[in-house]
Amino acid sequence: MIDPVLLRENPDLFKRSQEARGDSVEAVDAALAADAERRSTITAFEDLRAAQNVFGKRVAAAPGAEKKALVAQAQSLAAEVKAAGVVAGEADARFTAIVKTIANPIIDGVPAGDEANFATLRTHGDAPVFDFEPRDHLELGELLGAIDMARGAKVSGTRFYFLKGIGARLEIALMNMALDRALEAGFVPLITPTLVRPEIMDGTGFLGEHNDEVYYLPADDLYLTGTSEVALAGYHKDEILDLSEEPLRYAGWSTCYRREAGSGGKDTRGIIRVHQFNKLEMFTYVLPENAAAEHDRLVALQEGMLRSLGLSYRVIDVAAGDLGSSAARKFDIEAWVPTQNAYRELTSTSNCTTYQARRLDIRYRTESGKTAPVATLNGTLATTRWLVAMLETHQQADGSVRVPNALQPYLGGLEVLTPLPVRGAK
């Protein structure tokens, strides 16, 4: 949830942000009106309750004959207090419902507009050039005996797959390499739940505009997570954290699930856009004034991974209209995919400022002794989709694939992935 004090003091900040995102600007005025109503009803309730307390003391001190008459007045006043409490509660609920439609205000410098309006911050490496017709990742995966889409669809339906043989080993190697990098950087590893309660999913901001992307189990009232960010954000719900020494940093390893609603016809070939995948997600709790520096730190870790794997990539500042409601700024790193002649997203890292922490009541103690919301950030360090860019970038004419030097120790020193012999061939 947004900061209601900031909303009252600087509504234009929210209006500019909503406009840049392509969201409702009118929601800001509606929230301001609801906030005014909420505060006035709370004041009326508290005034009545204070009067009730004073009157209660008078009743207690009154002599017996007078007390009987005063008790009747006290009962009437109690009814008024109860009614005022109901009115205040309803006003608070209306304000909460409206303010939840307002996204986290974007950070200065975020490009306005939709998906196409991103800003390229930097690029690394040249696109690979082949003296043969390159194969796409699925053809390579089938030659290597690494990817089986047909049986994935037979077992679970479209956009499911099996990673087998060297494909399974390759993903485990990638995830372990990422985990080692996270450990070196001071992250605490967690294997997280992939089913969470509604208040956790809602607290991270995933039940708004992207609700149709989430798998829900109504019999259990639980949601399947599309990223371990959700569980990691809920890990410290309703807690006061000690961030005086350094941020709390976690690396969550989990299977992730996404319905991919509305993506019909997009990336139907291979494992680029699928319903289930594995991911190692970085998540940090930091003091709000340190959030921007932490954001840069997460991106640097991601870039280090991509460079170690020999991938060409670009870093983009995602446009406001392509941000989720919780992100105030997001940097995506997109790797070059040769057969698509395009960059495709491999990592994403978001600065959610205090938005998630307010919704999940995660605080730190200030120097004055009061508490205030922390800032939260998240960023992908490895995921199944990375196999796409790795296979296509490092392929050779015979269908074999070179293993990047940094990944070889995680595959027992294997330097080249070679196609399997054709069954029945002599």
Side-chain angles (χ1 to χ4, degrees):
M1 187 180 295
I2 62 173
D3 181 353
V5 175
L6 183 61
L7 174 68
R8 291 194 292 271
E9 294 178 347
N10 194 355
D12 287 343
L13 169 72
F14 291 89
K15 290 181 179 181
R16 290 193 299 270
S17 176
Q18 290 288 99
E19 184 177 15
R21 287 174 174 272
D23 292 343
S24 169
V25 175
E26 291 74 18
V28 178
D29 289 326
L32 286 169
D35 183 45
E37 180 190 13
R38 175 182 70 97
R39 288 187 293 140
S40 67
T41 58
I42 289 173
T43 298
F45 168 67
E46 290 177 345
D47 288 347
L48 278 171
R49 190 166 57 179
Q52 182 187 34
N53 290 336
V54 172
F55 195 80
K57 293 177 181 178
R58 178 184 169 190
V59 172
E66 184 183 347
K67 182 174 292 188
K68 186 175 180 180
L70 292 177
V71 166
Q73 294 179 46
Q75 290 174 340
S76 175
L77 185 56
E80 290 183 50
V81 171
K82 183 178 180 180
V86 171
V87 171
E90 291 173 345
D92 186 63
R94 283 193 294 273
F95 170 73
T96 300
I98 294 172
V99 83
K100 276 189 172 183
T101 67
I102 300 175
N104 198 3
I106 61 174
I107 292 171
D108 286 344
V110 172
D114 59 18
E115 181 180 1
N117 297 113
F118 65 85
T120 300
L121 302 179
R122 56 188 171 274
T123 60
H124 172 81
D126 297 321
V129 177
F130 304 98
D131 57 6
F132 57 90
E133 186 67 27
R135 298 173 173 88
D136 73 5
H137 74 279
L138 181 55
E139 185 178 357
L140 290 165
E142 290 173 341
L143 285 172
L144 298 169
I147 302 173
D148 192 332
M149 299 297 299
R151 290 186 176 90
K154 178 176 68 175
V155 170
S156 301
T158 57
R159 299 189 189 274
F160 286 93
Y161 58 95
F162 282 91
L163 291 181
K164 64 176 185 175
I166 193 58
R169 291 181 61 197
L170 192 59
E171 176 164 289
I172 292 169
L174 174 65
M175 296 285 281
N176 274 310
M177 176 181 165
L179 181 60
D180 279 351
R181 297 291 177 94
L183 289 170
E184 291 168 5
F187 287 77
V188 176
L190 289 177
I191 295 178
T192 66
T194 57
L195 286 166
V196 300
R197 293 175 171 176
E199 61 266 29
I200 303 299
M201 186 67 80
D202 183 57
T204 51
F206 282 92
L207 290 187
E209 60 194 67
H210 298 296
N211 190 41
D212 61 349
E213 291 289 331
V214 182
Y215 284 104
Y216 176 58
L217 281 64
D220 304 286
D221 196 22
L222 293 171
Y223 289 90
L224 279 167
T225 58
T227 168
S228 61
E229 171 195 343
V230 179
L232 293 168
Y235 188 64
H236 285 299
K237 183 180 185 297
D238 300 325
E239 295 182 23
I240 298 175
L241 307 181
D242 181 5
L243 302 177
S244 57
E245 297 296 325
E246 61 181 6
L248 290 176
R249 298 184 173 104
Y250 299 103
W253 186 321
S254 73
T255 301
C256 307
Y257 305 89
R258 296 186 183 176
R259 293 186 64 241
E260 291 295 343
S263 64
K266 296 180 182 177
D267 298 315
T268 55
R269 180 173 169 80
I271 60 172
I272 289 182
R273 194 183 295 273
V274 292
H275 292 307
Q276 176 183 325
F277 54 94
N278 291 313
K279 185 162 67 152
L280 188 73
E281 184 80 2
M282 300 177 290
F283 194 93
T284 62
Y285 297 88
V286 304
L287 297 174
E289 61 267 27
N290 297 335
E294 185 71 7
H295 202 183
D296 291 338
R297 185 177 189 270
L298 297 181
V299 174
L301 286 168
Q302 294 170 329
E303 289 192 71
M305 276 285 294
L306 270 78
R307 287 196 299 271
S308 293
L309 296 172
L311 299 177
S312 302
Y313 65 85
R314 69 181 180 187
V315 182
I316 68 170
D317 196 353
V318 176
D322 199 29
L323 297 175
S325 61
S326 61
R329 182 169 230 159
K330 181 169 73 168
F331 299 132
D332 281 355
I333 304 181
E334 301 177 330
W336 184 259
V337 177
T339 63
Q340 296 193 9
N341 198 35
Y343 288 103
R344 301 302 303 268
E345 178 196 332
L346 290 199
T347 80
S348 179
T349 179
S350 299
N351 181 355
C352 297
T353 59
T354 62
Y355 184 88
Q356 293 177 331
R358 288 180 185 279
R359 296 164 73 106
L360 294 167
D361 194 24
I362 307 169
R363 296 162 289 153
Y364 71 101
R365 200 167 295 282
T366 66
E367 291 183 358
S368 68
K370 296 182 179 180
T371 62
V374 305
T376 61
L377 300 96
N378 63 81
T380 310
L381 198 54
T383 188
T384 302
R385 183 181 281 196
W386 288 44
L387 304 185
V388 173
M390 287 170 55
L391 291 173
E392 293 202 15
T393 296
H394 299 302
Q395 65 177 295
Q396 302 184 107
D398 62 355
S400 63
V401 176
R402 299 185 307 279
V403 178
N405 291 338
L407 198 58
Q408 290 175 17
Y410 299 93
L411 289 168
L414 189 62
E415 297 180 0
V416 178
L417 312 180
T418 56
L420 295 181
V422 178
R423 285 291 183 93
K426 295 182 180 179

